[in-house]
Amino acid sequence: MSSLLTNSTAMTALQTLRSVSSQLSTTQTRISTGQRVSTASDNAAYWSIATSMRADNAALSAVSDSLGLSAATVDTEYTALTTVIGDKDSGLTKLQSLLVEAKTAGIDRSKIQADVTQIQQQMKATANAATFNGINWLSTTATTPTTFSLVSSYSRVGGTPTIGSITVTTANYSLYTSAQGGILDTAGSTSPSIDTMSISALTDSAADQTTLDGYIAQVTAGINSVASAAANLGAVKNRLSTNSDFVKSLMDSVDRGIGQLVDADMNQESTRLSALQVQQQLGVQALSIANNSSQSILSLFR
């Protein structure tokens, strides 16, 4: 039946064209954004997971930055400790050799003391300069925190986040403190601290030789303590480096996981775009033909 009021062919063509146009719009959005799930309406479950994972990655990025800052701080303190230990020409190592030299009978100990004083001053200056971002573990004051927490990791199980940290105890590395309780400024029960010891007034007497032996033993113990502190910081430094590499790899893994959930396959979308554009053109032509079919009714009334 030919009907003037109801063109079923045009209605079918219009429905097909609307469907093709809708699919074409979706495909164009995927191509422009690079994502097949860019809003919650595309896929609520995948969008929710991807959003949470992006938030986790932002937290991991902050951890990576914190690890870099912590590594720089530890490296500064470690460098200062190794400088204080020194070698045959500087630091505690040189101080020890000077004290051994001072054991020589008839030697001018006042001249050796001039070198000792310079080494003492240099070690203190090194400790005072070991500051990064306002933090100094080698030369502390009454306001210096007893411990520092270095952020090292971030994880989330369900809705519960967990932030891992490396705890550094300041007292393990303090060479000088405001209360004179550091490795180099702590006085013995019968002897001055390494920072203040003086040999200029000592003689070749048996008592003074015994005093020199005590000074040498004290400096040797100081070398061992500073070396132990440096080794401890070296271990922390390695752990921070390992954690930093892991966090960066983890961020890449999370990015890949997000991509698997929401990224569009551009090969597939480009093929689909070409097919839909052809379908749209054919749909427009079919609708045009269906609309023109009503013109044939006029021939019945001529």
Side-chain angles (χ1 to χ4, degrees), residues 85-257:
I85 294 172
D87 52 28
K88 63 184 182 65
D89 297 319
S90 64
L92 289 170
T93 303
K94 176 64 173 178
L95 178 58
Q96 184 184 51
S97 66
L98 288 173
L99 293 177
V100 172
E101 184 180 345
K103 291 277 292 180
T104 305
I107 198 167
D108 188 348
R109 295 181 178 86
S110 63
K111 290 184 172 60
I112 295 179
Q113 179 59 40
D115 282 339
V116 170
T117 300
Q118 291 301 316
I119 291 174
Q120 290 169 331
Q121 292 175 353
Q122 181 58 43
M123 290 191 301
K124 194 161 191 175
T126 298
N128 289 336
T131 301
F132 185 87
N133 194 33
I135 296 174
N136 190 324
W137 299 337
L138 308 189
S139 182
T140 62
T141 66
T143 59
T144 303
T146 57
T147 59
F148 287 87
S149 293
L150 309 179
V151 175
S152 61
S153 63
Y154 170 87
S155 62
R156 178 178 59 84
V157 178
T160 304
T162 301
I163 300 175
S165 63
I166 301 172
T167 301
V168 174
T169 303
T170 309
N172 293 338
Y173 313 103
S174 298
L175 304 182
Y176 305 91
T177 70
S178 57
Q180 295 184 336
I183 296 173
L184 300 184
D185 65 353
T186 299
S189 57
T190 59
S191 62
S193 66
I194 295 175
D195 183 47
T196 59
M197 65 173 52
S198 174
I199 63 171
S200 58
L202 299 181
T203 65
D204 292 338
S205 67
D208 286 349
Q209 290 295 311
T210 300
T211 299
L212 273 174
D213 289 338
Y215 287 176
I216 293 171
Q218 190 173 355
V219 172
T220 301
I223 292 174
N224 292 335
S225 296
V226 177
S228 177
N232 199 339
L233 274 187
V236 173
K237 184 178 178 182
N238 286 336
R239 182 177 174 185
L240 289 172
S241 177
T242 300
N243 282 9
S244 180
D245 292 340
F246 171 71
V247 167
K248 290 175 181 177
S249 298
L250 185 59
M251 290 173 64
D252 290 341
S253 296
V254 172
D255 281 336
R256 287 193 294 269

Side-chain angles (χ1 to χ4, degrees), residues 29 44 49 67 78 94 121 142 153 211 236 258 267:
T29 299
I49 294 171
L67 283 168
Y78 174 81
K94 176 64 173 178
Q121 292 175 353
S153 63
T211 299
V236 173
I258 294 173
N267 291 329

Side-chain angles (χ1 to χ4, degrees), residues 264-285:
D265 183 343
M266 301 307 287
N267 291 329
Q268 178 181 347
E269 297 303 331
S270 63
T271 302
R272 185 174 179 80
L273 177 65
S274 298
L276 288 172
Q277 286 175 334
V278 172
Q279 291 181 47
Q280 186 183 47
Q281 294 171 7
L282 291 174
V284 170
Q285 187 172 0

Side-chain angles (χ1 to χ4, degrees), residues 44-82:
Y46 281 5
W47 180 87
S48 177
I49 294 171
T51 300
S52 297
M53 293 176 70
R54 289 190 185 101
D56 289 346
N57 240 14
L60 287 172
S61 177
V63 170
S64 180
D65 293 340
S66 180
L67 283 168
L69 184 61
S70 298
T73 302
V74 170
D75 189 54
T76 299
E77 309 304 319
Y78 174 81
T79 300
L81 284 175
T82 55

